[in-house]
């Protein structure tokens, strides 16, 4: 569907048109006089936002009918719904769920039953919510007072829509214990975890962290970073609509806003995640890919690349986020100190430049022709990436004469699109910086004390495990006391898992790119598992670490999650015990570039060929795992974020070897 056809389709739906216009003219987007031209507004919002507006329109009737007496309780329910939607979407992306939009909608509707109760019993249910109950405690109170719980009511309402989806079950079982849903559909587990993580507490508690580990094998670092980012997005969306969070309002303010609150919440439900058209993680490559997809949807052109400014060298360097390799582009550096190329002239002018215009023909240089050939076109269109605060570079568009004929009349829209793209890149940078600062400030205050606790507990825990093992051997398998010893070992294993989560607290900000000592990280994990996982499963672990291994500019939390999942996989693949090897190597070359190599080797039964063919896809597992085979999917996603690669070799009956390659330069 072309840009024009999309605009015409939306214009035929008065409801969707009004929502698009409302969104684009909200304080978050408006930078000019109020406008109502649908084509221009689509550029302002972006395709992702328009799609989210359409998805969320199903929520309108429920928010629109709420009593004005709902007041503060309604505000709190909306905040929890918006936050849960953001968390569910982030988890869906991380675990490669087939439909992130469906996950977002499920999170948004998880409190639908609460809205129905608030509408039917505004005073009684409002009073109940004021008690600060949540989760299972709130469900029990609802059943005691109204005979039904909000998840039951919400799932019944969704069931009436006759959807071909597990959305009904996701809402119904959102408070079910984790062990009861291990074999359920992906969507049920996503909403179950997200509803716990989006509860009223600022930070995930031990129960929520244990649930994240049980359902998806996620550690504390990953979970807390994901929740913080989701909270920031939900907060920005609410503030852009003028909705104060319940915790920030005084009684007097709440009273003044009471009459207008129902309409505001209705608008917020309609706009939902569309208020912040950003990738779900602070990733510049993902942002550029999103911009490229939107450009294709809006203008019907796929051949583009970016020329990003390198301020230090005063050059423009090409980047293509969709190309299989950027090696050829990396050899190009276009000087901006003079207009010796059309690219430099377009950057310095800050205006749209088409290579076949008479005034530009003389400026076409060899490097411009190289870019055109890379984009498989004879002509180029340069769009300046100018935000309100800085210049990023250009979008280089490969274009032919017929395409330019249809686009030449849309220079204003092209300029507007490029400006919005530049603002998106700037907001992406700001989001990354804010996220890093927030996590660093929060964790630096208590990481030292937590590490002391880990150190103090680990030593006696290992001693207890060893003595229990020796005692069990002395008593013999037939002794009736052995069963009690097994119970003690299980409880010690639980303590070990809690310590593992505590140990996830980093020395510094683990999510930010910084120097990571891989050998030290491997040694830390070895010590941690030696006193718990290895001992309990009769695993002999050996390290072979390259002393020349350099520190990496990488994300420590991601690397730790990857190694943790691979080690756990190896251990669980050897239920009768076995040998586990962890090796590092300083010099490995992938596509001519320097990498470091980490190997995880086990002598277990190996992986069957049919499983090897889909090893990194969801729901594939080589063991009876409570994580439904998502561990390796998460590993692959995290490796991709680190610009690394991972291989696996295995033969049935002769063990498995995972080879992880990480670039030596950040």
């Amino acid at each position: 569907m072309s840009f024009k056809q999309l605009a015409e389709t939306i214009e035929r739906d008065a409801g969707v048109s009004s929502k698009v216009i409302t969104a684009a003219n909200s304080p978050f987007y408006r930078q000019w006089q109020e406008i109502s031209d649908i084509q221009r507004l689509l550029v302002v919002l972006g395709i992702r936002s328009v799609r989210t507006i359409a998805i969320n329109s199903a929520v309108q009737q429920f928010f629109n009918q709420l009593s004005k007496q709902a007041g503060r309780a309604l505000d709190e329910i909306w905040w929890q719904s918006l936050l849960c939607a953001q968390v569910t979407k982030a988890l869906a992306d991380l675990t490669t769920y087939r439909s992130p939009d469906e996950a977002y909608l499920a999170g948004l509707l998880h409190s639908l039953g609460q809205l129905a109760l608030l509408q039917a019993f505004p005073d009684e249910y409002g009073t109940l919510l004021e008690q600060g109950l949540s989760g299972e405690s709130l469900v029990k109170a609802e059943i005691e007072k109204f005979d039904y719980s909000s998840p039951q009511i919400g799932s019944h309402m969704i069931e009436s829509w006759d959807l071909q989806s597990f959305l009904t079950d996701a809402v119904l079982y959102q408070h079910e214990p984790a062990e009861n849903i291990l074999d359920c559909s992906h969507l049920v587990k996503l909403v179950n975890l997200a509803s716990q993580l989006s509860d009223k507490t600022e930070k995930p508690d031990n129960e929520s962290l244990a649930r994240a580990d049980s359902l998806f094998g996620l550690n504390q670092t990953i979970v807390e970073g994901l929740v913080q980012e989701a909270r920031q997005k939900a907060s920005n969306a609410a503030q852009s609509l003028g909705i104060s969070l319940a915790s920030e309002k005084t009684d007097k303010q709440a009273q003044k806003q009471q009459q207008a609150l129902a309409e505001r919440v209705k608008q917020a439900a309609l706009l939902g995640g569309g208020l912040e058209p950003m990738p779900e993680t602070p990733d510049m490559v993902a942002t550029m890919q999103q911009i490229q997809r939107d450009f294709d949807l809006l203008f019907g052109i796929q051949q583009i690349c970016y020329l990003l400014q390198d301020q230090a060298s005063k050059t423009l360097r090409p980047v293509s986020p969709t190309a299989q390799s950027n090696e050829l582009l990396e050899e190009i550096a276009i000087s901006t100190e003079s207009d010796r190329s059309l690219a430099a002239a377009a950057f310095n002018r800050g205006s749209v430049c088409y290579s076949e215009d008479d005034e530009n023909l003389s400026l076409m240089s060899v490097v411009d022709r190289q870019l055109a050939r890379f984009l498989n076109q004879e002509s180029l269109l340069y769009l300046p990436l100018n935000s309100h605060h800085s210049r990023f570079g250009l979008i280089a568009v490969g274009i032919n004469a017929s395409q330019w004929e249809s686009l030449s009349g849309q220079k204003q829209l092209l300029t507007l699109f490029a400006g919005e793209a530049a603002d998106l890149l700037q907001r992406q940078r700001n989001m990354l910086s804010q996220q890093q600062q927030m996590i660093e400030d929060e964790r630096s205050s208590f990481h030292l004390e937590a590490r002391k606790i880990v150190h103090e507990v680990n030593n006696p825990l290992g001693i207890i495990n060893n003595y229990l093992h020796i005692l069990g051997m002395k008593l013999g398998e037939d002794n009736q006391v052995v069963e009690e010893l097994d119970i003690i070992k299980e409880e010690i294993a639980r303590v070990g898992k809690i310590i593992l989560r505590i140990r996830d607290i980093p020395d510094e900000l683990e999510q930010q790119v910084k120097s990571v000592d891989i050998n030290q990280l491997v040694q830390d994990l070895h010590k941690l598992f030696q006193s718990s996982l290895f001992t309990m499963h009769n695993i002999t672990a050996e390290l072979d670490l390259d002393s020349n291994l350099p520190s990496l500019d990488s994300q420590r939390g991601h690397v730790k999650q990857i190694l943790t999942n691979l080690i756990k996989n190896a251990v669980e693949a050897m239920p009768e015990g076995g040998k586990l090897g962890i090796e590092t190597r300083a010099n490995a070359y992938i596509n001519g570039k320097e990498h470091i190599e980490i190997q995880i080797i086990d002598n277990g039964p190996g992986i069957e060929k049919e499983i090897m063919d889909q090893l990194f896809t969801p729901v594939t597992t080589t063991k009876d795992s409570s994580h439904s085979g998502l561990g390796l999917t998460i590993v692959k996603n995290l490796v991709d974020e680190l610009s690394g690669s991972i291989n696996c070799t295995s033969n049935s009956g002769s063990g498995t070897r995972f080879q992880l390659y990480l670039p030596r330069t950040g």
Side-chain angles (χ1 to χ4, degrees):
M1 179 180 290
S2 69
F3 176 44
K4 184 177 180 181
Q5 291 172 324
L6 178 61
E8 290 175 349
T9 300
I10 293 176
E11 286 171 345
R12 286 195 291 268
D13 190 319
V16 175
S17 295
S18 66
K19 297 161 195 171
V20 171
I21 292 172
T22 301
N25 287 301
S26 69
F28 186 80
Y29 286 103
R30 188 172 63 229
Q31 301 162 7
W32 41 71
Q33 297 292 326
E34 290 195 6
I35 51 178
S36 58
D37 177 65
I38 293 295
Q39 292 191 33
R40 190 177 182 191
L41 291 179
L42 286 181
V43 177
V44 176
L45 288 172
I47 296 299
R48 292 167 66 92
S49 300
V50 174
R51 182 177 60 190
T52 303
I53 290 171
I55 290 174
N56 294 344
S57 63
V59 184
Q60 177 181 12
Q61 57 182 307
F62 302 107
F63 282 92
N64 194 34
Q65 297 172 3
L66 290 172
S67 168
K68 293 181 180 180
Q69 299 176 1
R72 202 183 273 266
L74 178 59
D75 202 12
E76 180 65 31
I77 291 175
W78 162 239
W79 163 250
Q80 293 295 328
S81 298
L82 181 57
L83 177 57
C84 187
Q86 296 285 4
V87 174
T88 309
K89 177 69 159 52
L91 288 170
D93 287 336
L94 180 60
T95 59
T96 321
Y97 181 57
R98 58 176 177 76
S99 177
D101 288 332
E102 181 189 37
Y104 178 87
L105 180 60
L108 189 68
L109 295 178
H110 87 291
S111 295
L112 186 60
Q114 289 186 307
L115 297 176
L117 284 172
L118 192 61
Q119 180 183 358
F121 310 102
D123 294 330
E124 297 93 328
Y125 195 62
T127 301
L128 183 63
L129 292 178
E130 288 177 359
Q131 298 178 19
L133 301 175
S134 63
E136 295 182 15
S137 299
L138 179 59
V139 167
K140 291 179 180 178
E142 290 169 346
I143 294 176
E144 183 177 343
K145 190 170 186 64
F146 304 107
D147 294 328
Y148 293 96
S149 69
S150 56
Q152 290 173 330
I153 295 172
S155 64
H156 179 72
M157 297 170 71
I158 296 172
E159 189 174 20
S160 66
W161 300 348
D162 195 25
L163 302 176
Q164 297 299 314
S165 168
F166 283 111
L167 198 153
T168 301
D169 291 341
V171 172
L172 179 61
Y173 299 118
Q174 61 182 282
H175 299 302
E176 197 74 16
E179 57 269 21
N180 292 354
I181 61 167
L182 291 176
D183 298 320
C184 289
S185 69
H186 200 148
L187 185 64
V188 170
K189 290 187 283 190
L190 287 173
V191 175
N192 182 278
L193 176 57
S195 67
Q196 308 303 313
L197 295 176
S198 58
D199 211 342
K200 297 179 180 180
T201 56
E202 286 290 328
K203 291 183 58 179
D205 57 17
N206 281 338
E207 181 181 350
S208 298
L209 293 172
R211 190 179 296 253
D213 179 54
S214 177
L215 293 178
F216 298 113
L218 298 176
N219 68 21
Q220 181 174 354
T221 300
I222 298 295
V223 172
E224 289 189 350
L226 180 148
V227 172
Q228 282 186 336
E229 184 179 343
R231 281 185 175 275
Q232 185 63 42
K233 288 184 177 183
S235 177
N236 289 343
Q239 290 173 11
S240 68
L241 287 169
I243 298 177
S244 299
L245 305 185
S247 60
E248 298 174 350
K249 293 195 301 183
T250 64
D251 291 337
K252 186 176 182 180
Q253 288 173 325
Q255 186 176 6
K256 288 182 178 180
Q257 295 176 4
Q258 197 172 54
Q259 292 184 345
L261 186 57
E263 181 62 25
R264 287 180 178 179
V265 172
K266 167 191 168 183
Q267 294 173 359
L270 294 174
L271 300 179
L275 290 173
E276 205 169 10
M278 296 185 185
E280 301 305 317
T281 58
D283 185 333
M284 195 63 69
V285 173
T287 304
M288 290 189 289
Q289 290 173 340
Q290 173 189 322
I291 293 170
Q292 186 164 350
R293 288 192 296 269
D294 287 352
F295 192 88
D296 180 21
L297 288 169
L298 295 174
F299 302 107
I301 297 177
Q302 299 178 349
Q303 297 88 355
I304 77 171
C305 71
Y306 297 85
L307 302 178
L308 301 182
Q309 183 190 28
D310 184 340
Q311 294 181 340
S313 61
K314 295 184 179 179
T315 59
L316 297 173
R317 295 193 173 270
V319 175
S320 174
T322 58
Q324 292 184 348
S325 173
N326 276 293
E327 290 183 2
L328 292 177
L329 292 180
E330 289 174 355
E331 299 178 13
I332 297 176
I334 304 173
S335 173
T336 59
E337 293 188 289
S338 64
D339 292 351
R340 65 189 187 197
S341 65
L342 182 58
F347 177 79
N348 292 326
R349 292 176 192 171
S351 59
V352 176
C353 289
Y354 177 50
S355 61
E356 300 304 309
D357 284 346
D358 292 339
E359 62 180 308
N360 296 328
L361 286 174
S362 61
L363 291 172
M364 280 289 288
S365 68
V366 173
V367 73
D368 294 307
R369 295 188 180 94
Q370 279 188 294
L371 287 175
R373 188 164 62 253
F374 176 81
L375 296 170
N376 297 315
Q377 293 292 345
E378 295 182 357
S379 303
L380 286 173
L381 176 66
Y382 286 121
L383 305 177
L385 288 169
N386 298 335
S387 74
H388 299 291
H389 307 290
S390 60
R391 293 191 296 177
F392 288 96
L394 303 168
I395 298 178
V397 183
I399 194 171
N400 58 40
S402 62
Q403 289 172 324
W404 175 242
E405 184 177 351
S406 64
L407 287 180
S408 58
Q410 302 186 54
K411 283 188 177 180
Q412 183 180 8
L413 288 176
L414 289 168
T415 302
L416 181 60
F417 178 89
E420 290 297 317
D423 286 341
L424 183 58
L425 291 170
Q426 180 64 56
R427 294 202 300 272
Q428 183 73 353
R429 286 181 175 179
N430 293 341
M431 183 176 72
L432 177 61
S433 177
Q434 291 171 2
Q435 181 198 47
Q436 292 172 347
Q437 188 61 48
M438 286 170 57
I439 298 175
E440 185 175 13
D441 290 345
E442 182 178 353
R443 295 187 176 183
S444 61
S445 62
F446 62 83
H447 75 87
L448 180 60
E449 186 63 29
R451 292 179 69 84
K452 289 180 180 179
I453 294 174
V454 171
H455 179 73
E456 293 173 1
V457 173
N458 250 332
N459 290 334
L461 187 63
I463 294 172
I464 293 171
N465 259 322
N466 291 335
Y467 273 104
L468 284 174
H469 183 69
I470 294 171
L471 182 58
M473 294 178 61
K474 289 182 177 180
L475 293 174
E477 295 182 358
D478 297 332
N479 195 298
Q480 61 182 3
V481 180
V482 172
E483 184 176 348
E484 282 77 5
L485 290 179
D486 289 339
I487 295 174
I488 297 174
K489 289 180 180 180
E490 290 176 2
E491 292 304 307
I492 291 177
R494 288 185 56 214
V495 175
K497 288 184 177 181
I498 295 173
I499 291 175
L500 177 61
R501 294 200 299 272
I502 295 176
R503 188 62 178 268
D504 283 332
I505 299 169
D507 287 330
E508 300 175 28
L509 177 62
E510 294 198 357
Q511 293 295 340
Q512 86 179 60
V513 175
K514 62 168 196 150
S515 180
V516 180
D517 187 334
I518 298 297
N519 280 346
Q520 186 61 54
L521 179 57
V522 170
Q523 290 172 346
D524 288 345
L525 288 174
H526 177 263
K527 291 178 182 177
L528 183 63
F529 287 129
Q530 188 62 48
S531 62
S532 54
L533 192 66
F534 295 160
T535 301
M536 297 300 297
H537 291 81
N538 195 26
I539 300 296
T540 300
E542 297 180 354
L543 303 184
D544 183 6
L545 307 181
D546 190 338
S547 60
N548 295 320
L549 197 74
S551 295
L552 295 187
D553 291 336
S554 189
Q555 299 186 43
R556 188 176 188 275
H558 281 23
V559 179
K560 187 173 186 178
Q561 177 77 63
I562 292 167
L563 295 179
T564 298
N565 283 17
L566 291 178
I567 292 171
K568 284 184 175 180
N569 257 30
V571 171
E572 293 171 3
M574 299 183 288
E576 304 300 324
K579 293 182 179 181
L580 172 70
I582 306 176
E583 301 177 3
T584 61
R585 186 159 60 97
N587 296 304
Y589 291 87
I590 306 295
N591 296 326
K593 294 184 178 181
E594 285 189 310
H595 289 66
I596 66 103
E597 179 184 15
I598 307 172
Q599 294 193 34
I600 309 294
I601 310 162
D602 69 66
N603 67 343
I607 303 174
E608 298 178 2
K609 184 180 182 303
E610 56 269 23
I611 296 178
M612 282 289 292
D613 293 339
Q614 302 180 27
L615 190 62
F616 295 106
T617 57
V619 196
T620 299
T621 178
T622 61
K623 58 188 182 303
D624 182 17
S625 171
S626 62
H627 304 159
S628 302
L630 283 171
L632 291 179
T633 302
I634 294 169
V635 165
K636 184 62 169 63
N637 289 342
L638 294 176
V639 170
D640 289 343
E641 286 190 31
L642 298 178
S643 301
S645 61
I646 185 169
N647 298 322
C648 177
T649 56
S650 181
N651 294 312
S652 182
S654 60
T656 302
R657 179 190 304 266
F658 280 92
Q659 295 168 291
L660 171 65
Y661 298 97
L662 299 176
R664 288 184 58 148
T665 56

